[in-house]
Structure formats: C-alpha cells, structure tokens
C-alpha cells in the first residue's frame, strides 16, 4: 500500500498530497509504536513542501495518532492549544 498521510479518504479533497514528501514511504514510519523514535518520520517531513497544510489538516480533523506535519500527537496538542489561546486573545477572530 502506498502511503498517504492518515490513509486519507480522497486526494481530490487534499490536492497538497501531490507534493507530499511521504508518498511511497513506508506508512509504519509515521505511526511508530509507543516509545520508539519518531526521528525518521520527522526527517521526511522536515523537507516537505506541504508541511503546513498537513499539520492544519491533522489539527482540524483531530488526528490522534502518527506524525503529521512533522509533529507528534503531543506536539500537535500544544499547537492546537496555542492556536485556540491566540484566537481567544483576538476579539472577533474565527
Ligand atoms: S508533512 Fe510529513 S506526513 Fe505530512 S505530507 Fe509532508 S511528509 Fe507527509
């Protein structure tokens, strides 16, 4: 099976996938077992041109597992909380 982030349902919904660094990379790399290294997956993400889109997608869809946009679940939670805090700090922000 060819990898696309999170076994995405439709590449048409996410045209950015066409530029993903991880296409063709072993999916297991992006879903490491608890306690194992995420370094290799993050290396793939590091040079990815669609890292921001991938991260936004994962956060918007509450992806709980795997490496998305170069970040682990824990790291994405921090980003999500920071974004929510920033939104609350700006009146009338959506
Ligand atoms: S940021 Fe990482 S997981 Fe997301 S599309 Fe790029 S290489 Fe794939």
């Amino acid at each position: 099976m060819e990898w696309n982030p999170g076994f995405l349902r439709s590449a048409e919904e996410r045209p950015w996938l066409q530029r993903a660094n991880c296409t063709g990379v072993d999916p297991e790399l992006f879903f490491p077992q608890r306690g194992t290294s995420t370094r290799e997956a993050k290396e793939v993400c590091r040079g990815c041109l669609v890292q921001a889109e991938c991260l936004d997608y994962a956060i918007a869809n509450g992806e709980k597992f795997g490496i998305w946009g170069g970040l682990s679940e824990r790291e994405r939670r921090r980003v999500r909380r920071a974004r929510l805090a920033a939104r609350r700090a700006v009146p009338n922000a959506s």
Side-chain angles (χ1 to χ4, degrees), residues 1 12 14 16 26 30-32 35-36 39 44 48-49 54 59 64 66 68 70 72 76 81 84 88:
M1 178 175 77
E12 289 170 14
R14 299 161 196 89
W16 48 269
D26 182 356
F30 293 86
F31 293 91
T36 60
R39 187 178 52 80
V44 176
C48 183
L49 296 174
C54 180
I59 289 175
K64 300 214 180 311
W68 292 73
S72 66
R76 289 195 304 277
R81 280 196 295 265
L84 287 171
R88 283 190 210 110

Side-chain angles (χ1 to χ4, degrees), residues 29-78:
L29 196 66
F30 293 86
F31 293 91
Q33 296 292 317
R34 185 176 292 273
T36 60
S37 174
T38 58
R39 187 178 52 80
E40 281 184 74
K42 289 179 175 180
E43 295 265 329
V44 176
C45 296
R46 191 182 325 267
C48 183
L49 296 174
V50 295
Q51 199 171 8
E53 290 90 335
C54 180
L55 179 60
D56 288 346
Y57 175 85
I59 289 175
N61 289 283
E63 293 292 345
K64 300 214 180 311
F65 304 103
I67 304 298
W68 292 73
L71 300 183
S72 66
E73 179 194 351
R74 180 180 298 178
E75 292 164 333
R76 289 195 304 277
R77 273 201 307 265
R78 279 193 216 118

